[in-house]
Amino acid sequence: MVNIGLTGGIGSGKSTVARLFQKRGAYIIDIDAIAHLVEKPGGMVWNRIVEYFGRKILNKNNIIDREALGEIVFRDSEKLEELNSIVHPAVFDEWRRRLDDIGSKDEDAIIISDIPLLIEVGWHRAVDLVILVYTSPDVQTERIMERNCYSYKEAKDRLRAQMPMDEKIPFADFVINNKGTLEETEAIVDRVWKELPGKGRNAKNQEMKR
Ligand code: ADP
């Protein structure tokens, strides 16, 4: 199996590019979906989050209100760290479980995990290859204004809160330039897709420390 981390910035086109790889036969793991799963009532970390932040972060169905939680941790780095220390290990374990599960059934699997914070949390050390979906900040701004109905200022604030995409380039084995049309991106995906088989380096996975 080849274990690939797909990353980028907000609105750079990770989901779009993941779908293009899926069409070509890649298995896709969506790390945000795993985070939602472990945080839902009955999920692995629901209890600990509620214990730490209190029931005020729950909506009426006992579902964790991610907006409310986001508001709290956005202003308080200590609480953000605590939240991450609760959520990340559980997400990491579930991610590994899914990788192992797919790998045990299909040893030639090309698995692409969409992980927005791959580099920020250090999980690039737990994959065989990093693919960066790259766009310029201007294109990113335009696309998230359109997708999320953000004002110019809201879009810029979100970009500013992130690691600049140029700083992610040195970590990438492949950079997919998604500034152009979807057809242009699809042509790059075709080229990269042909390069992926046989690039698994399982030994590297054992070195990962959380
Ligand atoms: P991410 O998953 O990185 O946040 P998305 O894949 O959702 O980004 O892309 C952000 C927005 O930009 C979406 O509305 C998507 O349809 C659009 N988009 C992505 N790539 C392109 C492209 N090459 N041309 C035009 N629109 C695009």
Side-chain angles (χ1 to χ4, degrees), residues 9-16 114 143 147 178 180-182 185:
I10 179 173
S12 69
K14 296 176 295 298
S15 321
T16 305
D114 179 346
R143 290 193 182 145
R147 184 190 64 184
N178 186 36
T181 64
L182 278 177
T185 299

